[in-house]
Amino acid sequence: MLIVIVRSIILYIVVLIVMRIMGKRQIGQLQPFELVITIIISELAAVPMQNTGIPLLYGIIPIVILMIAHIILSFASLKSLKARAVICGKPSILIDHGIVRTDELAKLYFNIDDLLEQLRVKGYPDIQDVEFAILETKGQLSVIPKSMKRPVTPKDMNLNIEQERLPITLIIDGKVVRENLKIAKLNENDIRKNLNNSDISDFKQVLFAGLDSSGKFFFQKK
């Protein structure tokens, strides 16, 4: 029993390291070749984890080889447009200037019901509102609505809006995030002054604190 536990922990750590090296994408964001490698790695890890008669290296070595293959393919797709087209494929235009391309749908085994469903998910129940619909290489549908159906922007109304900043987290569960303090160009005394105004003397009383997109300090008590 102890052997099974140790082997499981080792394989878990190996797979975790490999997946971290491979990147931070979610399953729905993986390219086809990345998804295939991920599925195979999970199978390779499961077999020696269940069968103690199989040497541990028989599971680890193939996983490392697949990781190297992934890095090579990713590098090739990064440096070469031709390699990217072969490895990842190309986006397909399903609606072009408001017209559904039935030839492209047939090529992708994509029927009208599938297209209408994806458009509804994206918030476009009426196909007549769509100028372009593009099926990306990851299987996601990108929708570009017709000009008259697009949301109004400040630019359309000739409004001069101040550029927002990225919100910065300063305290999480009572602990100061010191790296973000440097980014915000603040120190602990600055935070204490803001908290003292609300009768809070200890960081441990704070669940979350930070600067919003306008640079304003905000917090929530535990």
Side-chain angles (χ1 to χ4, degrees), residues 104-222:
E104 201 67 28
L105 289 176
K107 190 188 300 182
L108 298 168
Y109 304 104
F110 213 81
N111 58 48
I112 293 293
D113 288 334
D114 293 331
L115 178 59
L116 292 174
E117 179 183 343
Q118 291 294 324
L119 290 176
R120 288 194 296 271
V121 170
K122 291 291 183 179
Y124 297 95
D126 191 347
I127 197 171
Q128 295 182 85
D129 295 342
V130 180
E131 186 73 14
F132 295 98
I134 304 167
L135 188 65
E136 306 293 355
T137 57
K138 300 172 185 176
Q140 297 172 331
L141 190 71
S142 297
V143 181
I144 301 175
K146 292 181 178 179
S147 299
M148 295 302 293
K149 296 295 181 179
R150 295 176 188 172
V152 177
T153 64
K155 183 178 179 181
D156 295 330
M157 302 178 68
N158 293 321
L159 297 176
N160 187 18
I161 305 298
E162 185 179 349
Q163 185 66 39
E164 293 185 340
R165 305 181 237 175
L166 187 68
I168 300 175
T169 302
L170 300 176
I171 297 176
I172 296 179
D173 198 18
K175 296 181 180 179
V176 177
V177 184
R178 302 189 185 282
E179 295 177 1
N180 289 352
L181 278 181
K182 295 178 182 178
I183 295 173
K185 296 180 180 178
L186 297 173
N187 55 48
E188 292 188 11
N189 289 330
D190 295 323
I191 301 178
R192 283 196 178 90
K193 288 177 183 177
N194 284 290
L195 294 176
N196 287 338
N197 293 334
S198 301
D199 296 326
I200 296 177
S201 58
D202 192 345
F203 292 149
K204 293 181 179 179
Q205 297 175 259
V206 180
L207 176 67
F208 183 88
L211 300 178
D212 62 16
S213 57
S214 63
K216 184 179 178 182
F217 181 81
F218 68 97
F219 71 95
Q220 179 181 330
K221 291 178 65 176
K222 288 187 180 180

